[in-house]
Amino acid sequence: MGRGRTAPRTAPRTAAAAAVSAALIAGTVVGLAPAAQATPSVRFVDIVGDGGTVLKANVVTPAGADGSHSYPLVVLPTSWSLPQIEYLAQARKLADSGYVVLTYNVRGFWQSGGQIEVAGPPDIADASKVIDWALANTPADPRHIGMGGVSYGAGISLLAAAHDKRIKAVAALSGWADLVASIYSGRTQHVQALGVLDGAATLTGRESPELREIFDNLYASDLSKEQAMIDWGKKRSALTYVDQLNSNGAAVLLANAWGDTVFPVNQYADFYQKLTGPKRLELRPGDHATAELTGLFGLPNDVWTDTQRWFDHYLKGSDNGIDREQPVQLKPRSTGGYEGYPDWKSATATRRKITLGGTTTLHANVDSGADGGIVFLSSILDQFAQLPPIASIPLLPRRWAAVWQSEHYGADQRVRGTATLHTTLTPTDESGTFVAYLYDVGPLGFGRLVTHAPYTWHGRTPGEPFGVDLDLFSTAYDVPAGHRLAVVVDTVDPLYTEHNPSGAQLTFSSPADDPSYVSVPLREQ
């Protein structure tokens, strides 16, 4: 916000169109899959939601269900911009295991009525109305109700569980708990992610006037509307209602991907630590919703397997051991196996500092070549080919990029958790932006991106130094022996809105009484 430029929206909308088309193809494939013998019953229904808004839904019941006994209920709200058949493959699997499953298109998208409220009060009221309908019209057991979903469905499920005590278990996959920390972390607009969300909503739904105003104010960097937007986001964040959620006692499974460019993992990990009931945190390689994608086709998928195990234990009472496993399950980006920890903090056994010594002045407004990548594409490449964004560290122009490097490490450095940057910054203007990157640098000087994060300030006195503390996005990455880590700072990244006026300069220093550094979290070696 402040004096950043209005972002162009054509490219993100094109990307959104491609993503939605792929999702529709996926849904069609699932819908046309040949039926197995004694398949669950599937019927499409209309449900009257809050204020009379009609929600399009489908109900999947176990084969042979005749009303003689009840089944646990699982409710799955759809993801942002996806149709109601999104979860059909998983719904059939759950029904085969003895669940009534109800999936519905959230208001404002596709054939459902209303406008897009972004998990606002009408969406939360809708979730309760859907549960009411299921209890009245299906053999659902009112004592055993779960909710879950991917992305938008995850966020709505968490919020619904905080407001409706009937919900006993939640599986929130690639979702958010803190909307402000997701799309405005470091006080910086995540403009590519915003463009994808906006474009997808335009293609498949009907934005409410309030949502349109929020998008426009974010694009325009209208600082006078900042507090109103933060308040809007907090109302739509489960973090705001965590005490209610804890009081209600729902068992909460959170799953996300290290490279999620829409809902970064930091906000999920922070939220996880505030939960006091049964809980589990799973983090894997990938980008937004890519870890769950194959499961929507009905293919084997770790996330959906654990989702069913979670529901089986907390809704059906199955003694499947998920409650006795280490509750934090991390799959590093550079190895194949899962690592279990008793809590999030235990993933980090120690910390190693990289000193950011000396005084360095950057000229703003030019992309140095150090970037966080491209929304979706870069983290998908990292997920499937272990190819994160790469930069030649020796060739980064020092006029526009500050670079500090560690020594060569004699053993693998297993980065686990949240790296933090502390420095002293002296700007030439009251507002500005920088982006900090951490790279794994090999013998030829090519750096593979480990993590990064943006930082924006407003209202500072030009020429007056101030301290900066910034959490980089959490990750799990193994730096090979013989490599080193490099810290790079520049002022332009296509993922984010930049707030540096033309000709601005940023000076980073390391006072003797307050040295600058990056603290790198490491697993026990």
Side-chain angles (χ1 to χ4, degrees), residues 23-346:
L24 290 174
I25 293 170
T28 302
V29 170
V30 170
L32 295 178
Q37 195 170 13
T39 58
S41 164
V42 181
R43 59 191 174 107
F44 292 85
V45 300
D46 290 350
I47 298 175
V48 178
D50 185 57
T53 297
V54 175
L55 306 173
K56 298 295 183 178
N58 59 64
V59 182
V60 187
T61 51
D66 56 8
S68 60
H69 68 279
S70 60
Y71 302 88
L73 169 67
V74 173
V75 176
L76 303 172
T78 52
S79 301
W80 186 270
S81 85
L82 294 191
Q84 68 195 77
I85 59 173
E86 173 188 5
Y87 301 116
L88 193 53
Q90 289 302 323
R92 284 172 167 164
K93 286 187 175 183
L94 286 166
D96 276 336
S97 298
Y99 292 90
V100 171
V101 186
L102 194 154
T103 80
Y104 70 97
N105 241 123
V106 292
R107 64 171 56 222
F109 284 107
W110 294 93
Q111 289 84 16
S112 284
Q115 296 177 321
I116 303 169
E117 300 288 346
V118 194
D123 289 304
I124 309 312
D126 284 347
S128 291
K129 293 281 190 182
V130 167
I131 292 172
D132 293 342
W133 187 95
L135 294 178
N137 294 278
T138 75
D141 185 342
R143 300 166 301 168
H144 302 104
I145 298 173
M147 277 194 74
V150 177
S151 185
Y152 198 33
I156 290 175
S157 295
L158 284 174
L159 286 160
H163 288 84
D164 192 326
K165 294 181 179 181
R166 296 175 296 178
I167 300 169
K168 304 302 182 185
V170 175
L173 317 178
S174 289
W176 80 92
D178 186 340
L179 194 56
V180 179
S182 295
I183 61 176
Y184 194 51
S185 71
R187 212 176 174 186
T188 308
Q189 298 95 320
H190 296 208
V191 70
Q192 280 193 18
L194 286 168
V196 169
L197 294 173
D198 186 10
T202 301
L203 285 170
T204 63
R206 299 166 299 284
E207 295 175 347
S208 67
E210 183 182 34
L211 175 57
R212 186 66 261 156
E213 182 179 3
I214 291 291
F215 275 133
D216 290 343
N217 288 338
L218 281 166
Y219 289 131
S221 301
D222 188 346
L223 192 58
S224 70
K225 302 293 181 64
E226 181 182 38
Q227 189 57 52
M229 287 188 284
I230 289 173
D231 293 342
W232 176 89
K234 285 183 176 179
K235 182 184 285 188
R236 291 158 170 79
S237 298
L239 179 63
T240 303
Y241 313 100
V242 67
D243 290 341
Q244 291 175 224
L245 184 59
N246 286 332
S247 177
N248 289 350
V252 178
L253 165 65
L254 303 173
N256 207 345
W258 295 117
D260 194 317
T261 46
V262 180
F263 302 131
V265 296
N266 294 47
Q267 48 92 31
Y268 245 23
D270 291 343
F271 180 70
Y272 173 82
Q273 295 178 89
K274 293 178 171 62
L275 294 173
T276 58
K279 60 182 180 177
R280 183 178 174 97
L281 176 66
E282 301 184 353
L283 300 174
R284 301 172 173 84
D287 203 311
H288 183 62
T290 63
E292 299 87 1
L293 183 60
T294 56
L296 297 179
F297 288 85
L299 300 174
N301 181 278
D302 289 354
V303 188
W304 286 105
T305 295
D306 284 349
T307 293
Q308 181 163 337
R309 293 176 65 220
W310 191 254
F311 286 145
D312 284 350
H313 182 74
Y314 288 102
L315 298 182
K316 295 171 68 175
S318 299
D319 185 17
N320 56 19
I322 197 167
D323 58 317
R324 296 188 295 274
E325 295 172 1
Q326 297 279 35
V328 174
Q329 294 287 321
L330 310 182
K331 187 174 185 180
R333 293 160 50 199
S334 40
T335 61
Y338 286 89
E339 301 170 355
Y341 300 92
D343 52 49
W344 169 245
K345 292 181 178 179
S346 295

